Amino acid sequence: MKQVIQNFKTGDLYVDEVPAPSISKGTVLVENKFSLISAGTERSTVSVGKASLIGKAKQRPDLVAQVLQNIKKEGLKATIDKVKTKLDSLKALGYSTSGIVTASMDTNGIFKPGDRVACAGQDYASHSEVVSIPQNLVAKIPDNVSFEEASFTTLGAIALQGVRQANPKLGENVCVIGLGLLGQITCQLLKANGCNVFGIDLSKDLVRISAENGAEKAMLRNDDNLISAIDNFTNGYGFDSVIITAAAPTNDPIELSAEITKKKGKVIVVGAVKMDIPRDPHFYRKELELKLSCSYGPGRYDVNYEELGQDYPFGYVRWTEQRNMGAFLDLISKKAINLEPLITHVFDIQEAEKAYDIVLGKVKEAHLGILLKYKENTSKGLTKFELGTNEIKDLNVGFIGAGSFAQSYLIPNVKSNKGSLDTVVTTKGITAKNVGDKFGFNSASSNSEDIYSNEKINTIFIATPHNSHANYTIKGFESNKHVFVEKPLAMDYEELEKVKIAYEQSKSKLMVGFNRRFSPLAKEIKKRFDGAEESLVVNIRVNAGFIPKDHWTQLEEVGGGRIVGEMCHFIDLMQYFTDAKPISVFADCINSSNSQLKTDDNICVIVKFSDGSMGNLTYLANGDKSLPKEQIEVFGAGKVGIINDFRSGVFHNGNKAEKLKMTGKGHKQEVQAFLDALTLNQESPISFQSIYNTTLVTFKIQDSLRTGLPQNLDI
């Protein structure tokens, strides 16, 4: 299918053929008919991509801070590699489309093939022939509303949410500052609400369009008569509310809004403007209320709502993102909103570059609503694209999932060792195409069946969200393919048992991404304790850092939480050092009334092993980032081995301390060990029983927290 793409590294913008996206539970597959270019938002997005590295840093100081913090945590080289991976990516543009449903897996059974729908969401409702949209970001189009009109729905929902924040009453005087597309729609919404609307902008054309289609009066910002005209319009009282829909780097919209708002009035910020709030004379003396409007409405930035399809109760949250979308479509249907005068250009998708030349000012043309049009295309539903004809080696590898982790630690190490890269699969075709081109895969796809059905692929690497690991692994065994799956192996007891049965019925080898045991420091310390026929005590302290509850790794149904998703690393490391089976586990966590904390992110775990060894894990999310993340201590036989964040180590023996200068967490070594095992037809570097034990312990940790009791492992 065709899609508008920007290379974030070079800034180049173009239309390319990429695999169509896949459909999954809770999503709706839609063939686009029209999509709207939101000139203000997309101009800003594209400009960041076109900026130099220094320019990008100036525009995103928050990301610079993350990079500096990452250097402290992981070192300069690892951070540089991560940054390169992030920069060398393709960005999807657009967030407001309309089209026809071709398939739906929405959990409510609302959408059917053939339904006419409007779609919303950055990275979802993109400028592409086919889109896969979460169910709460789709709304049905009334019969008398055209696809052209419906493509404005996302922007209409944003404008509607801004108006709702102002809560205007019939007959009130309301000013809209900024008469771009968002401002024009806002003026019409206010007019439909029975308000007296005054518009302000820097452009004569936009002032004229607003005066003709929504505002009772509209004027230029630099008109000398502006303030006196406002006094006459409001009878000297000032506006009941001012809605700022401008995008401006200066503080002028904020300062002007305060000046022209009545005493105890409201200022609503919808657009991206500078917000240095001057206390005097107006905000303080008038007791003005300042409110921000969050995009399409309630549900925005809530993973549970937008990605997992969990709606808010109608009686408690009347207007969500989706309900705002539906309300805007109803207003179009009732002719309360007229979008026709706002459409200035329509381009076919293959001419999108011309459209962006206008948006970016390369071509000087007055513009407002620019639409991209999509024609019938028999190839738009293709999920697989051939990219190359590289040599197929004995180890021919397919990747399912190719996020930043896979691109940084897995794919390069497969390529540099003994494997050939055959097919890469991601849910978004644009990502598959980018990764495929970057690393030299022979094909890119959005459908995992293209890997399982390919008899030439004998090894699969799985680096997808945690809740898909078990199913993908089982399908790999059933397809007679060796499997490397990132941790965790499974999310619960049932999945683990299914994996075990599938493994025992197959001849495939399995590897889970427990990389730390392959690190140079872990291997060296393990060697120093070899032959010590004595129980060990392994102390592990992890200063993991805070992760919000709504992060995907914390969601039980997606990431499984940090016990299952991260602590498994350290249970595996205990098994590695002790060479023994875990037989019991006890865990306890903090108590806290802080609703932002996930209490089991701050936990102490004691694991008893079959040879009498003990493992103590203290996993913390409430510490300070300046403390190194991980410290491992191994005690036994009169010796002590210490690993300091996998950057250095110390071995104590015979009243002497020997410094160990080794770095790395073992990512390269684990991939190499797995591929070596396949090449030499040896056992997998980690036995299935050990992998099973580690996964089982994480479930028992959860059981111990629930019951407050030690848990025995029947292994």
Side-chain angles (χ1 to χ4, degrees), residues 412-432:
N413 289 324
V414 170
K415 188 173 183 179
S416 64
N417 281 282
K418 301 176 176 65
S420 57
L421 299 175
D422 192 295
T423 302
V424 58
V425 172
T426 65
T427 55
K428 292 183 172 68
I430 184 175
T431 305

Side-chain angles (χ1 to χ4, degrees), residues 469-482:
H469 286 185
N471 286 335
Y472 280 138
T473 298
I474 291 168
K475 289 180 71 175
F477 294 152
E478 292 172 346
S479 303
N480 297 315
K481 303 184 191 302
H482 304 299

Side-chain angles (χ1 to χ4, degrees), residues 437-492:
D437 285 336
K438 188 192 302 186
F439 291 100
F441 282 85
N442 281 337
S443 61
S445 171
S446 61
N447 187 348
S448 61
E449 288 301 322
D450 290 327
I451 284 182
Y452 292 117
S453 62
N454 187 339
E455 294 182 358
K456 294 180 180 179
I457 294 175
N458 52 34
T459 306
I460 303 174
F461 276 67
I462 300 167
T464 52
H466 299 169
N467 60 344
S468 61
H469 286 185
N471 286 335
Y472 280 138
T473 298
I474 291 168
K475 289 180 71 175
F477 294 152
E478 292 172 346
S479 303
N480 297 315
K481 303 184 191 302
H482 304 299
V483 176
F484 181 112
V485 58
E486 259 310 311
K487 50 78 188 170
L489 174 62
M491 296 273 282
D492 54 41

Side-chain angles (χ1 to χ4, degrees), residues 8 29 77 91 139 190 207 214 307 347 381 436 560 568 598 619 691:
F8 194 67
L29 203 64
K77 184 180 184 304
K91 185 170 182 60
L190 290 166
V207 166
E307 296 182 20
F347 292 92
C568 52
K598 200 166 182 286
Y619 189 96
I691 292 169

Side-chain angles (χ1 to χ4, degrees), residues 537-575:
V537 174
V538 183
N539 293 328
I540 300 177
R541 188 269 298 145
V542 184
N543 180 37
F546 175 76
I547 294 180
K549 285 184 175 181
D550 61 356
H551 189 272
W552 73 268
T553 59
Q554 298 281 47
L555 302 175
E556 290 295 328
E557 60 270 55
V558 181
R562 297 174 93 168
I563 293 174
V564 172
E566 292 184 20
M567 295 183 203
C568 52
H569 272 305
F570 307 105
I571 305 302
D572 173 75
L573 199 55
M574 290 177 187
Q575 283 197 82

Side-chain angles (χ1 to χ4, degrees), residues 413-688:
N413 289 324
V414 170
K415 188 173 183 179
S416 64
N417 281 282
K418 301 176 176 65
S420 57
L421 299 175
D422 192 295
T423 302
V424 58
V425 172
T426 65
T427 55
K428 292 183 172 68
I430 184 175
T431 305
K433 177 78 182 318
N434 178 46
V435 174
D437 285 336
K438 188 192 302 186
F439 291 100
F441 282 85
N442 281 337
S443 61
S445 171
S446 61
N447 187 348
S448 61
E449 288 301 322
D450 290 327
I451 284 182
Y452 292 117
S453 62
N454 187 339
E455 294 182 358
K456 294 180 180 179
I457 294 175
N458 52 34
T459 306
I460 303 174
F461 276 67
I462 300 167
T464 52
H466 299 169
N467 60 344
S468 61
H469 286 185
N471 286 335
Y472 280 138
T473 298
I474 291 168
K475 289 180 71 175
F477 294 152
E478 292 172 346
S479 303
N480 297 315
K481 303 184 191 302
H482 304 299
V483 176
F484 181 112
V485 58
E486 259 310 311
K487 50 78 188 170
L489 174 62
M491 296 273 282
D492 54 41
Y493 290 111
E494 183 180 0
E495 283 191 348
L496 182 59
E497 291 308 311
K498 287 181 178 178
V499 170
K500 182 180 179 181
I501 292 169
Y503 173 78
E504 291 173 344
Q505 293 175 347
S506 77
K507 296 181 180 180
S508 301
K509 292 182 172 63
L510 172 69
M511 178 71 164
V512 176
F514 298 140
N515 54 281
R516 284 164 177 78
R517 66 159 62 200
F518 296 95
S519 68
L521 279 166
K523 291 165 76 174
E524 179 64 23
I525 287 176
K526 164 80 169 171
K527 184 173 70 175
R528 301 286 182 106
F529 281 94
D530 280 351
E533 295 181 2
E534 185 178 312
S535 301
L536 303 179
V537 174
V538 183
N539 293 328
I540 300 177
R541 188 269 298 145
V542 184
N543 180 37
F546 175 76
I547 294 180
K549 285 184 175 181
D550 61 356
H551 189 272
W552 73 268
T553 59
Q554 298 281 47
L555 302 175
E556 290 295 328
E557 60 270 55
V558 181
R562 297 174 93 168
I563 293 174
V564 172
E566 292 184 20
M567 295 183 203
C568 52
H569 272 305
F570 307 105
I571 305 302
D572 173 75
L573 199 55
M574 290 177 187
Q575 283 197 82
Y576 174 66
F577 285 129
T578 62
D579 277 329
K581 296 178 181 179
I583 58 173
S584 69
V585 60
F586 176 74
D588 206 351
C589 64
I590 65 169
N591 293 322
S592 175
S593 59
N594 186 341
S595 63
Q596 294 185 5
L597 287 179
K598 200 166 182 286
T599 54
D600 61 8
D601 281 0
N602 299 276
I603 186 173
C604 295
V605 180
I606 300 174
V607 183
K608 188 71 179 285
F609 290 88
S610 57
D611 70 341
S613 294
M614 296 283 291
N616 300 304
L617 171 62
T618 305
Y619 189 96
L620 305 161
N622 60 358
D624 184 79
K625 291 182 179 180
S626 63
L627 179 71
K629 183 181 177 184
E630 298 171 25
Q631 184 176 58
I632 294 95
E633 299 174 334
V634 183
F635 290 79
K639 307 172 186 178
V640 181
I642 300 174
I643 298 174
N644 296 312
D645 212 22
F646 293 92
R647 296 170 134 192
S648 65
V650 183
F651 190 75
H652 296 266
N653 187 29
N655 293 322
K656 294 180 181 179
E658 178 187 352
K659 292 183 179 179
L660 304 177
K661 296 182 179 179
M662 303 173 185
T663 59
K665 286 190 175 181
H667 294 105
K668 178 180 179 180
Q669 292 86 349
E670 70 169 346
V671 172
Q672 183 174 342
F674 178 58
L675 297 183
D676 284 345
L678 298 183
T679 302
L680 301 173
N681 196 26
Q682 297 175 343
E683 292 297 318
S684 186
I686 309 176
S687 71
F688 179 80

Side-chain angles (χ1 to χ4, degrees), residues 249-305:
T250 72
N251 211 41
D252 182 67
I254 288 288
E255 294 174 359
L256 175 62
S257 66
E259 181 181 354
I260 62 179
T261 304
K262 76 175 185 66
K263 187 177 180 64
K264 294 185 179 294
K266 299 175 186 174
V267 176
I268 313 299
V269 180
V270 181
V273 294
K274 192 173 182 180
M275 291 181 61
D276 291 339
I277 311 302
R279 186 173 188 272
D280 280 324
H282 303 296
F283 272 98
Y284 169 65
R285 299 185 187 188
K286 293 181 181 178
E287 290 189 319
L288 299 181
E289 182 180 357
L290 178 67
K291 298 179 73 175
L292 273 72
S293 178
C294 184
S295 199
Y296 329 150
R300 189 71 179 107
Y301 308 113
D302 181 348
V303 175
N304 288 302
Y305 179 89

